[in-house]
Amino acid sequence: MEARRKWIQLAVLAALIAVLPFFFPSGYYYRVGALIFVNGLSVIGLVILIGYAGQISLGHAGFAGIGAYACALGPQHLGLHPGLALILGAVISGLLALLIGRPILRLKGYYLAVATLGFGILVSMLLTNERALTGGPDGISVEDLGLRALLRDLGWRISGGEFWYGASGIALLVGAWLALNLFDSPTGRAMRSLHGSEVAASTVGIDVARQKLRAFVISAVYASVAGSLLALQNGFITPDVAGFMHSIEMVTMAVLGGVGSVLGATLGAAILTLLPQVLTVFAEYEQLVLGAVMILVMIFLPQGLLPSIARRLRGRGE
Amino acid sequence: MMKTMTSTALASLVALGALSGAAQAEIRLGASVSASGPAAFLGDPEAKTIEMMIEEINAAGGVNGEEIALTLYDDGGDPNKARTFATRLVEDDEVVAIIGGSTTGTTMSILDVAEDEGIPFISLAGAISIVDPVREYVFKTPHTDRMACQKIFTDMQAQGIASIGMISGTDGFGASMQAQCKEVAGEFGIEILADETYGPQDADMTPQLTRIRDTDGVQAVLNPGFGQGPAIVTRNVAQLGFEIPLYQSHGVASNAFVELAGLDAAEGVRLPGTALLIGDLLAEDDPQYKVVNDYIAAYQAKYDQEPSTFAGYAHDAVALMVDAITRAGSTDPAAIRDAIEATSGLVGTTGIYTFSPEDHLGLDLSAFRMLEITGEGWKQLD
């Protein structure tokens, strides 16, 4: 039963990604789609951390920054292929998360939020101030991945927008698949038990600190890969990617869509990515609308959009 | 299945063709500026200027008899958003040219799209890397930071100053200008003895300035930066009783800066500025007299405030674009690009623009005027 639900969710996601382009009136929609997928990927990482393990991070943009700058700096300074740089960034992010998560995650409550907040700001400052290495606040160019040229040599000509729509769509699917697998695995169940009650979890023999650390490291790798994909897609990156506001945006996406649900989080990412595009006419009121949406969701749908709506629909069906 | 899809695609292509045919009566111009967010002090007056000028042009009958349809987006200073809006302008709004990119970061994001799609783009940001190396479709209106450094160092040289202390903001503007100044200082025989920095939110720069004061042989202080930082530096310099001149950058060339720092502290500060700042001081036979004062009058009438130097960058970008479209006599992006590159002697508020295939900035040092803040207001030194 559980396994069937997993495949249904993945199938819905895959179908949406594959079918939507037929309704795109112009190439611009591929760009928006690709952004949604990249944001969705990092938000799925937060689902594992916040939704499964019940921990909060306000510095995940820091990991996105590490992933992004790995793709910018790796090829430039180490002569790495951008694809390898993506993996290098993910490894660095994972190790860093392990290092800082170890002491922090033994603490309860707000300490983790504050510590991750500090971490995010540190990364952002480092990227801004180490001008000689990172190009400073003006940003830095990112080498092309080269895959599109490879496809062209194989006789398949697609535009940059189409390529990144496909590439980030596949990345999102893989990310969702892994997260859904984790959900039903023993590790996932152990993580989710922390969310309910840490005391209860430890009495049944779950190593609380270890499970928290696992969730933290996994979510850091998600954010890092998403940051790398964004950098490669944009071909240019500034320290904004690691900024505090980006961290908040990621958490908001997760909470809005439904922090316990992979599909919900993707929906949250889609809504918050689309909103500024839809609201260009009311650009001045964008923050206002965003705030109002958040408040309404928190009051009326505290579990996030998708889980709340799904429950309501199911209730009616019975 | 495949067949229906192909025919749907064909049908929509035909529909698109019909649409663009119907739209021939207007010139679609796109803009993406940072009207909100941390760079709003740049983007807000730029957006106001662009909207005002397009309204004026349309009221006067448009360009070549066609109205300009402006699509303006607010990217909030976020390079990622700027890239999305640039894609939207090109792919969805089907504009023939783009103005915008208030910051270097947003400009670098937009220019990729413009180059890929072959759409002429006039940037409003300062960094030299935007036009060096020259990119086929990318132009810009503001001077580079390097030129500001050169102008300041020229004045220092004339004053017999050979060794200075620098204190720079770590924001994009300050950091970029700091690097450029250090690169060109040698050409003017100027040695940088102290090199301090401060964060954009810092409230006191006394420690850094004390270190500069205690450095032997410093003959002047240079402060690349914008926002509140330079105002605090100016006040701190006065409080510490410096007896050497203080040079500020074009980033703070505004009356707002004098108010923020206080006239007592700001008196004697030297900085490079554009003609826009001293419209009332310009000689009537100055080539920029009419352009500058007409623009100031129109802006003041509409928005009840003075246009900033940054607003002037947008003014010049619109003027260049409209001039190029007029001369090109068509709305073909490639023809507009060629016309922009052929611009010669176009008078703007920032300077007089002459582009060439090797130069997509089109300004020289004469565009800058060295100014000093005095008790009676601004004084032009050269």
Side-chain angles (χ1 to χ4, degrees):
Chain A
M1 188 61 197
E2 289 293 345
R4 219 184 91 202
R5 258 191 65 196
K6 178 181 91 184
W7 290 114
I8 290 175
Q9 290 192 45
L10 277 177
V12 168
L13 203 58
L16 277 176
I17 294 172
V19 170
L20 279 178
F22 292 110
F23 300 96
F24 287 172
S26 79
Y28 150 68
Y29 294 84
Y30 286 101
R31 160 77 183 167
V32 177
L35 277 184
I36 291 176
F37 300 156
V38 167
N39 285 334
L41 187 64
S42 56
V43 174
I44 289 177
L46 282 182
V47 164
I48 295 173
L49 183 69
I50 305 177
Y52 291 10
Q55 306 299 310
I56 186 103
S57 165
L58 296 179
H60 254 54
F63 295 116
I66 292 173
Y69 273 83
C71 281
L73 301 177
Q76 211 170 74
H77 293 284
L78 305 174
L80 277 181
H81 184 272
L84 284 176
L86 179 147
I87 295 170
L88 179 71
V91 170
I92 294 174
S93 291
L95 287 177
L96 256 179
L98 195 69
L99 214 66
I100 58 170
R102 238 184 145 79
I104 296 170
L105 287 163
R106 294 185 177 277
L107 308 168
K108 276 181 192 156
Y110 304 120
Y111 296 103
L112 181 64
V114 174
T116 49
L117 179 72
F119 165 75
I121 291 174
L122 264 178
V123 173
S124 160
M125 278 179 66
L126 194 78
L127 296 177
T128 309
N129 292 342
E130 291 308 311
R131 194 183 172 80
L133 184 67
T134 65
D138 280 349
I140 189 168
S141 300
V142 183
E143 230 176 73
D144 191 69
L145 189 56
L147 263 184
R148 193 151 71 92
L150 197 72
L151 289 178
R152 198 167 46 224
D153 291 342
L154 295 174
W156 193 21
R157 281 179 173 277
I158 53 174
S159 76
E162 287 162 354
F163 172 77
W164 282 109
Y165 180 89
S168 3
I170 291 169
L172 178 73
L173 275 176
V174 172
W177 175 62
L178 291 174
L180 287 168
N181 273 348
L182 185 69
F183 189 83
D184 286 325
S185 74
T187 308
R189 285 172 195 277
M191 281 177 189
R192 279 153 54 203
S193 72
L194 304 183
H195 199 174
S197 161
E198 281 185 26
V199 178
S202 60
T203 55
V204 294
I206 287 167
D207 187 341
V208 173
R210 189 186 158 88
Q211 296 303 339
K212 283 188 196 170
L213 191 60
R214 267 194 185 160
F216 190 59
V217 170
I218 294 172
S219 67
V221 171
Y222 267 85
S224 175
V225 172
S228 294
L229 288 175
L230 186 71
L232 290 169
Q233 174 183 351
N234 284 359
F236 182 80
I237 203 80
T238 66
D240 289 326
V241 70
F244 173 59
M245 284 317 288
H246 188 207
S247 290
I248 297 296
E249 205 177 36
M250 281 159 67
V251 175
T252 314
M253 284 172 179
V255 173
L256 175 68
V259 76
S261 143
V262 168
L263 268 194
T266 314
L267 178 73
I271 291 175
L272 284 194
T273 310
L274 278 174
L275 217 54
Q277 296 295 324
V278 178
L279 291 180
T280 48
V281 198
F282 320 100
E284 285 140 64
Y285 305 105
E286 185 192 318
Q287 304 292 332
L288 204 72
V289 174
L290 221 63
V293 168
M294 264 326 278
I295 293 173
L296 290 176
V297 167
M298 284 291 95
I299 294 174
F300 296 107
L301 310 166
Q303 286 181 308
L305 278 178
L306 200 68
S308 304
I309 292 171
R311 176 160 315 157
R312 210 156 283 187
L313 288 179
R314 226 174 293 142
R316 200 164 291 170
E318 274 161 17
Chain B
M1 176 69 183
M2 206 56 215
K3 198 170 174 189
T4 39
M5 248 151 50
T6 326
S7 51
T8 323
L10 272 176
S12 48
L13 265 181
V14 173
L16 270 178
L19 265 179
S20 56
Q24 276 303 310
E26 58 178 21
I27 300 164
R28 296 186 187 191
L29 184 65
S32 174
V33 294
S34 312
S36 64
F41 66 96
L42 298 170
D44 177 59
E46 288 167 359
K48 283 178 175 162
T49 299
I50 296 171
E51 278 167 350
M52 179 186 88
M53 289 182 72
I54 300 298
E55 249 173 60
E56 277 174 7
I57 290 162
N58 283 340
V63 179
N64 298 340
E66 293 177 7
E67 287 219 332
I68 297 180
L70 172 71
T71 311
L72 188 140
Y73 294 123
D74 171 11
D75 57 43
D78 176 0
N80 191 32
K81 258 193 190 170
R83 191 186 170 98
T84 308
F85 281 134
T87 312
R88 184 168 179 175
L89 286 170
V90 173
E91 302 267 0
D92 210 43
D93 302 318
E94 295 173 9
V95 299
V96 294
I98 300 176
I99 290 172
S102 306
T103 68
T104 302
T106 53
T107 289
M108 297 309 277
S109 299
I110 298 171
L111 70 77
D112 233 19
V113 178
E115 278 290 292
D116 268 2
E117 307 289 335
I119 299 288
F121 167 45
I122 302 184
S123 158
L124 311 175
I128 195 166
S129 52
I130 298 166
V131 288
D132 180 28
V134 169
R135 294 175 172 87
E136 205 181 348
Y137 282 87
V138 182
F139 302 83
K140 79 188 208 80
T141 54
H143 326 81
T144 62
D145 310 326
R146 184 186 290 254
M147 291 168 73
C149 298
Q150 288 167 334
K151 188 73 185 178
I152 292 170
F153 290 150
T154 311
D155 188 67
M156 286 181 176
Q157 223 174 9
Q159 306 283 325
I161 295 169
S163 51
I164 62 165
M166 275 175 69
I167 173 164
S168 319
T170 53
D171 53 282
F173 181 93
S176 165
M177 185 163 164
Q178 178 196 22
Q180 295 295 330
C181 282
K182 281 161 81 174
E183 260 184 58
V184 297
E187 296 168 23
F188 295 83
I190 285 171
E191 205 182 341
I192 297 165
L193 297 178
D195 186 16
E196 302 282 340
T197 59
Y198 58 85
Q201 304 298 330
D202 291 1
D204 183 72
M205 286 66 155
T206 315
Q208 294 98 315
L209 287 167
T210 309
R211 273 201 293 276
I212 292 179
R213 194 181 56 180
D214 293 346
T215 309
D216 280 337
V218 170
Q219 292 172 293
V221 180
L222 170 58
N223 176 206
F226 66 15
Q228 56 169 355
I232 297 171
V233 167
T234 306
R235 258 183 287 159
N236 288 164
V237 161
Q239 284 157 1
L240 289 172
F242 273 60
E243 279 168 9
I244 49 177
L246 171 65
Y247 284 82
Q248 289 288 354
S249 70
H250 56 309
V252 293
S254 70
N255 291 322
F257 163 71
V258 181
E259 280 161 30
L260 203 57
L263 184 59
D264 283 346
E267 203 171 340
V269 167
R270 290 169 171 240
L271 52 81
T274 66
L276 190 57
L277 194 60
I278 47 164
D280 47 347
L281 295 183
L282 291 178
E284 277 197 41
D285 58 352
D286 191 294
Q288 286 178 270
Y289 180 85
K290 192 175 149 40
V291 173
V292 167
N293 284 303
D294 283 357
Y295 168 55
I296 294 176
Y299 193 92
Q300 233 158 6
K302 190 166 169 65
Y303 299 114
D304 203 23
Q305 58 188 186
E306 281 173 32
S308 67
T309 306
F310 317 116
Y313 300 153
H315 168 279
D316 295 354
V318 175
L320 280 166
M321 197 62 93
V322 168
D323 172 68
I325 296 174
T326 312
R327 278 187 288 110
S330 94
T331 54
D332 174 39
I336 297 173
R337 187 216 82 89
D338 293 345
I340 298 176
E341 196 169 71
T343 302
S344 172
L346 184 117
V347 181
T349 63
T350 313
I352 298 169
Y353 294 89
T354 301
F355 289 117
S356 72
E358 294 80 36
D359 179 12
H360 279 196
L361 167 60
L363 291 175
D364 56 24
L365 276 189
S366 70
F368 263 136
R369 294 161 196 249
M370 205 63 205
L371 306 173
E372 186 180 327
I373 300 169
T374 69
E376 287 83 50
W378 300 93
K379 194 177 112 193
Q380 191 175 341
L381 296 173
D382 51 356

